[in-house]
Amino acid sequence: MGGAFLAAAVLARVGGRIGLPTIPLFILAGILLGPHTPGVAIVDDPHELEMLSALGLVLLLFYLGLEFHLDDLKAGGRKMALAGGTYLALNVGAGLGFGFALGWGTSEALVLAGVLGISSSAIVTKVLVDLGRIGNAETKPILGIIVVEDVFLALYLAALQPILSGADSLSAAAADGGKAFGFLLLLALAARFGTKVVSRLFDTKDDELLVISFLGAAVFVAGVSEWFGVADAIGAFMVGLMLGSTASGPRILKLVHPLRDAFGAIFFFAFGLSIDPGDLPSVVWPVLAAVAVTMAMNVLAGLAAAKIYAFGAQATANISTTLLARGEFALILATMAAGAGLDERLSPFIAGYVLLLAVLAPLAAGRSDWLARFLPGGPAKDQETEKTAVPV
């Protein structure tokens, strides 16, 4: 475990010097030091880190829930919902069509729809911060699309779980789905109306007690969620949603940050351990095709968002390239697919796809002016448009 942390840290430091995000580097560290690669293997069996990896996934989604507020949906209004819905329709729809075109199976196509359809909120946020674009006019629509994606993520995972669990019949699948949605609805109602009660339960000035309390709640509800057929990570997300609206929310967000970083790194590292580099050549053409599809859909989604918000070419290019990265959600789906015994090509495909886009997206975002030259309006007109554009 110590070797895993150190290897991830060394690669992340090296990659950071050339502007690469940490997620693909953590995965690469797992691939290089795993049992499938010649040389030093610090972990012989990826299952040895299974519990720590699960904890990393729970903390990643718990943190996402803390950052998400139900009021965010109201703040963006109709434009945010329209831009987010358009982005999902284009990307998830293209992902589903791509999945069926591959011919790997219906369940596999549904997994690929989510893999190709959802951006990485972690990488998107990091790109915005690193490029100094937090105050840009187009940043609010970008974050609004991420919020809509987060809502869709929770519903999609809940719907996909009964399918991947291999229910024996339509009625069994409906029963599993009903149980899952019932529990999810219960958590949603608790998040919406139970804030005052939850706030009192977690009201303490002692940071140690607060850490133990929110960590216990997140992990416990994650486990109960899995028993009800809801992905454990979504249970943790809902706990984060509840606690984020309490008086202790800002303190919890600060306290969980290092835990999320540490165990999140183990999650990505453990995923790399499960990848056999020898399998990657067999999926290289599907990966390249998927990347091309994702790039095209992101440009179309960027044009649609820019039309909704009356932005020019440069803002359009910024939206298209910033939302390009795929990351943690794709890996969650890869983990679920592996556990459900789906096509063995899914894991190396998703690994190659995530690695390639996680590297390309920050580089493309940093050079979005190249794309802006080819978009309607052009850079010259865009500068004048962005001065008058007001984010909603």
Side-chain angles (χ1 to χ4, degrees):
M1 182 176 169
F5 277 125
L6 290 174
V10 169
L11 271 180
R13 287 177 69 89
V14 172
R17 294 182 181 276
I18 56 175
L20 294 179
T22 56
I23 289 176
L25 297 168
F26 292 155
I27 298 172
L28 183 60
I31 294 173
L32 293 177
L33 297 174
H36 305 295
T37 306
V40 178
I42 62 173
V43 181
D44 293 325
D45 183 2
H47 293 292
E48 292 178 4
L49 294 180
E50 192 170 10
M51 182 57 71
L52 293 174
S53 173
L55 183 57
L57 179 58
V58 163
L59 289 172
L60 281 169
L61 269 292
F62 174 70
Y63 184 86
L64 198 61
L66 286 170
E67 287 195 316
F68 175 80
H69 296 286
L70 294 174
D71 293 339
D72 291 343
L73 287 175
K74 302 175 184 177
R78 178 176 169 273
K79 288 186 176 181
M80 185 184 78
L82 186 58
T86 303
Y87 187 91
L88 286 171
L90 286 169
N91 285 273
V92 175
L96 184 62
F98 180 82
F100 280 120
L102 283 180
W104 291 355
T106 301
S107 295
E108 286 78 1
L110 290 170
V111 170
L112 288 172
V115 169
L116 271 65
I118 305 293
S119 306
S120 167
S121 57
I123 298 179
V124 168
T125 304
K126 186 172 177 59
V127 166
L128 289 172
V129 172
D130 290 350
L131 295 179
R133 293 180 181 170
I134 293 295
N136 283 18
E138 74 275 4
T139 295
K140 274 198 172 184
I142 289 172
L143 295 177
I145 291 172
I146 290 294
V147 168
V148 174
E149 284 185 318
D150 290 344
V151 175
F152 175 79
L153 178 154
L155 297 174
Y156 189 75
L157 281 182
L160 197 59
Q161 187 75 17
I163 298 172
L164 296 185
S165 65
D168 296 330
S169 64
L170 184 61
S171 59
D176 289 344
K179 185 172 70 170
F181 275 110
F183 183 70
L184 195 63
L185 180 61
L186 181 64
L187 290 177
L189 290 173
R192 178 66 180 86
F193 300 106
T195 304
K196 290 183 179 179
V197 175
V198 174
S199 185
R200 290 195 197 99
L201 291 173
F202 285 82
D203 185 19
T204 175
K205 295 180 180 179
D206 190 318
D207 284 349
E208 181 183 12
L209 289 177
L210 187 58
V211 169
I212 294 171
S213 299
F214 74 68
L215 188 59
V219 175
F220 179 76
V221 174
V224 174
S225 297
E226 195 169 52
W227 188 80
F228 275 96
V230 176
D232 52 3
I234 294 305
F237 174 85
M238 298 303 293
V239 174
L241 194 64
M242 281 184 254
L243 296 182
S245 302
T246 66
S248 302
R251 284 175 60 210
I252 294 174
L253 191 67
K254 182 179 179 180
L255 291 169
V256 78
H257 203 284
L259 291 170
R260 183 211 67 173
D261 288 345
F263 289 98
I266 291 295
F267 169 73
F268 296 121
F269 180 87
F271 181 77
L273 290 175
S274 66
I275 300 301
D276 186 346
D279 293 336
L280 294 177
S282 66
V283 294
V284 63
W285 293 115
V287 165
L288 292 176
V291 168
V293 168
T294 302
M295 287 180 168
M297 290 301 105
N298 269 259
V299 171
L300 290 177
L303 288 168
K307 186 174 181 61
I308 293 169
Y309 285 90
F311 287 146
Q314 185 58 57
T316 303
N318 289 348
I319 294 171
S320 300
T321 54
T322 303
L323 290 167
L324 187 59
R326 301 296 186 261
E328 57 274 17
F329 181 55
L331 300 186
I332 292 169
L333 284 174
T335 303
M336 291 173 64
L342 299 188
D343 196 300
E344 293 181 355
R345 291 170 290 185
L346 271 178
S347 287
F349 170 86
I350 293 173
Y353 175 75
V354 168
L355 280 169
L356 192 53
L357 276 183
V359 171
L360 286 178
L363 298 177
R367 295 163 180 79
S368 58
D369 55 307
W370 294 1
L371 174 61
R373 297 172 190 172
F374 302 97
L375 295 176
K381 184 178 178 181
D382 190 58
Q383 290 175 4
E384 181 179 349
T385 303
E386 288 187 19
K387 289 178 184 178
T388 58
V390 179
V392 178

